[in-house]
């Protein structure tokens, strides 16, 4: 069992190195992020198709991962989004569905937080105005 664990760890490390290299190779403009075009390009290379297959990732559906993995909605993937997302997408379709669901929940959470912050700012301003009016009434 130790040999199996060591082999799995070694395979994971090798896959990570290949994915890191693929990210660097795919980042054509050198900005540290992959655009959707760069992402699809890197995932369509024969070398990457083999790497994905070895990692248990279906390369034919990998292109659809971009929108799922772009958690922050920036229309680009940084290396963390790319690495974690591709590695988490291993396995059957249900796993990919769970990743998509998790990302949707995270995006919704960000949206709700933005709305809460906006409402709090509005209330602060209104309370400040009310306090000023009360102060003037007492003068």
């Amino acid at each position: 069992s130790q040999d199996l664990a060591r082999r799995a760890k070694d395979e994971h490390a090798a896959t990570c190195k290949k994915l890191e290299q693929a990210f660097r190779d795919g980042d054509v403009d050198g900005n540290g992020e992959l655009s959707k075009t760069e992402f699809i390009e890197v995932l369509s290379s024969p070398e990457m198709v083999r790497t994905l297959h070895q990692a248990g990732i279906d390369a034919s559906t990998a292109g659809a991962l971009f929108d799922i993995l772009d958690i922050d909605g920036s229309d680009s993937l940084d290396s963390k989004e790319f690495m974690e997302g591709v590695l988490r997408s291993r396995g059957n379709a249900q796993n990919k569905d769970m990743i998509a669901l998790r990302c949707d929940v995270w995006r919704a959470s960000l949206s709700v937080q933005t709305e809460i912050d906006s409402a709090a700012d509005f209330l602060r301003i209104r309370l400040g105005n009310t306090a000023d009016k009360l102060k003037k009434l007492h003068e």
Side-chain angles (χ1 to χ4, degrees):
S1 65
Q2 288 178 343
D3 287 340
L4 288 175
R6 189 176 325 123
R7 190 172 344 141
K9 183 178 177 182
D10 291 345
E11 287 173 4
H12 179 76
T15 299
C16 287
K17 285 181 183 178
K18 288 179 182 178
L19 289 174
E20 287 174 28
Q21 186 60 49
F23 182 88
R24 285 192 296 276
D25 293 346
D27 184 17
V28 177
D29 59 10
N31 68 349
E33 298 178 334
L34 293 180
S35 66
K36 189 168 190 172
T37 303
E38 290 173 328
F39 179 79
I40 291 169
E41 183 89 14
V42 76
L43 291 182
S44 65
S45 74
E47 172 74 23
M48 182 50 95
V49 170
R50 278 191 299 281
T51 299
L52 293 173
H53 180 72
Q54 290 168 352
I57 300 165
D58 182 8
S60 67
T61 61
L65 284 174
F66 184 89
D67 295 325
I68 295 170
L69 301 181
D70 184 22
I71 293 174
D72 59 6
S74 64
D75 291 328
S76 63
L77 299 176
D78 60 30
S79 62
K80 182 179 179 182
E81 286 174 315
F82 176 76
M83 293 288 293
E84 288 181 3
V86 171
L87 289 172
R88 286 186 178 160
S89 71
R90 293 187 289 187
N92 55 24
Q94 291 82 9
N95 193 24
K96 289 176 184 65
D97 293 340
M98 291 302 296
I99 292 168
L101 180 61
R102 182 182 66 93
C103 292
D104 288 345
V105 168
W106 191 77
R107 283 185 193 111
S109 173
L110 287 178
S111 178
V112 167
Q113 186 61 50
T114 300
E115 291 298 320
I116 289 171
D117 292 344
S118 178
D121 290 342
F122 173 77
L123 289 173
R124 264 189 232 100
I125 291 168
R126 291 295 299 248
L127 286 172
N129 291 342
T130 302
D132 290 344
K133 288 178 184 178
L134 286 172
K135 194 185 255 184
K136 286 179 184 179
L137 285 174
H138 288 301
E139 293 176 354

